[in-house]
Amino acid sequence: KQATEKDIRSLLKTIDGLNMKAIIDKENSTHKTVNKTAFYLGSMGFITFLILFVLIMGFPGFIINPLNQFAEGLSEIGQKNYDYRLDLRTSDEFTHLSGAFNTMAKSLSENETANLTKILAEEIRIRTLIEEMQDAVFGINEKQEVLFMNTPAKKILNLDQKQIIGKNVNELTKDSNLLKVILDNIDLDDPLKVDLDGEISYFQQKNIEIVAPYIKLNTFDAVQYSGFSAGMIYILKDVPEFKEVSGEK
């Protein structure tokens, strides 16, 4: 009986030892798991911090730099530099925006070229018609600069050999007293008496004011039309019948 009790106690002691060993092993395993988890969480937290830091530092440049380029492009377009192009590739949205901007700039450039071509063609046509006129014709702008002058006018004013387009008429009057007379003449009813190489001729003067349209939008987006003086056109028409009458007298 005592031997059996002793065996039971020994068995219980062994079982208790095994339980303690299992508890210790489990506790050690739990500590290892906790330490490993803490390491992983710390690593993930550090990596997340680095990612956020990079995003925070790079995000303003990612957005602001393309916007600054876009603002610069609009400024260039405002100065009629239609050859300016954008190349934004930071994102699909900015790539699409730069493409739309470049399309707009190209369209504006083509429209300006077409309009300029029409204006130049019209200017050439008008200058050709003026040059073919038998009457003496010349025009000045609001700055008193010569816009055009046909050959009969140059001959009458004795300005054949001079470069006069763009010159101020006040300077040209120093070489042509008749030009000063024409500019100051307000009595357009009586013909001008002009000595051309010793021969007296008479010219009927006609002055035409150039009124250019000025269109603007008010605060209510209503179109307002007005005009401003953009210069004068002077026409001298030969009056041979007046010369004949004067000669008979």
Side-chain angles (χ1 to χ4, degrees):
K1 183 178 180 180
Q2 290 180 351
T4 301
E5 184 179 347
K6 185 177 179 180
D7 291 338
I8 292 173
R9 286 184 177 179
S10 177
L11 182 60
L12 291 174
K13 186 176 180 180
T14 301
I15 293 173
D16 185 60
L18 292 174
N19 288 335
M20 289 298 296
K21 185 176 182 301
I23 292 173
I24 292 173
D25 290 342
K26 186 175 182 179
E27 184 178 359
N28 290 335
S29 176
T30 302
H31 279 298
K32 289 181 180 179
T33 303
V34 170
N35 292 335
K36 186 181 292 185
T37 303
F39 174 76
Y40 287 150
L41 290 175
S43 300
M44 291 179 63
F46 180 72
I47 294 174
T48 302
F49 171 78
L50 287 179
I51 293 174
L52 291 175
F53 179 78
V54 171
L55 289 176
I56 291 174
M57 295 300 295
F59 184 76
F62 181 81
I63 296 296
I64 294 177
N65 290 339
L67 291 179
N68 287 336
Q69 293 182 41
F70 184 70
E72 182 180 357
L74 291 178
S75 177
E76 292 293 331
I77 292 297
Q79 298 174 13
K80 295 187 177 183
N81 180 16
Y82 301 133
D83 294 329
Y84 190 88
R85 295 293 184 269
L86 289 178
D87 186 18
L88 305 178
R89 301 182 181 179
T90 54
S91 67
D92 292 340
E93 290 76 10
F94 282 120
T95 301
H96 178 72
L97 179 63
S98 63
F101 177 90
N102 294 338
T103 300
M104 177 193 69
K106 181 181 178 181
S107 178
L108 290 173
S109 178
E110 292 174 351
N111 290 338
E112 184 183 42
T113 301
N115 291 334
L116 183 60
T117 301
K118 290 180 181 179
I119 292 174
L120 291 177
E122 190 65 21
E123 181 181 358
I124 293 174
R125 188 177 72 86
I126 292 175
R127 287 182 180 275
T128 302
L129 291 175
I130 291 174
E131 184 62 32
E132 293 299 323
M133 291 179 63
Q134 300 297 321
D135 300 331
V137 182
F138 69 93
I140 61 176
N141 60 18
E142 71 278 9
K143 298 179 181 179
Q144 301 298 300
E145 297 170 341
V146 177
L147 295 174
F148 54 84
M149 181 178 293
N150 65 359
T151 300
K154 292 179 181 179
K155 182 177 180 180
I156 293 174
L157 297 174
N158 195 26
L159 297 172
D160 309 39
Q161 307 300 324
K162 292 186 176 296
Q163 179 62 36
I164 59 175
I165 303 301
K167 291 292 185 65
N168 191 288
V169 290
N170 294 322
E171 295 182 9
L172 296 176
T173 54
K174 299 176 182 178
D175 300 317
S176 176
N177 184 63
L178 178 59
L179 176 60
K180 179 175 177 57
V181 172
I182 294 173
L183 296 175
D184 296 337
N185 185 24
I186 58 175
D187 185 10
L188 304 182
D189 294 331
D190 294 333
L192 286 175
K193 183 178 180 181
V194 181
D195 186 352
L196 297 177
D197 299 327
E199 182 178 350
I200 301 299
S201 298
Y202 293 86
F203 295 90
Q204 189 69 52
Q205 179 176 337
K206 183 178 181 180
N207 301 345
I208 302 175
E209 183 180 12
I210 304 173
V211 179
Y214 178 71
I215 303 175
K216 65 178 180 178
L217 295 176
N218 61 15
T219 55
F220 300 101
D221 292 335
V223 179
Q224 294 180 344
Y225 296 89
S226 60
F228 64 94
S229 179
M232 294 288 295
I233 297 177
Y234 297 90
I235 303 175
L236 298 178
K237 184 177 180 61
D238 189 14
V239 189
E241 59 272 16
F242 189 86
K243 175 181 178 181
E244 295 174 359
V245 171
S246 300
E248 293 177 358
K249 291 182 179 182

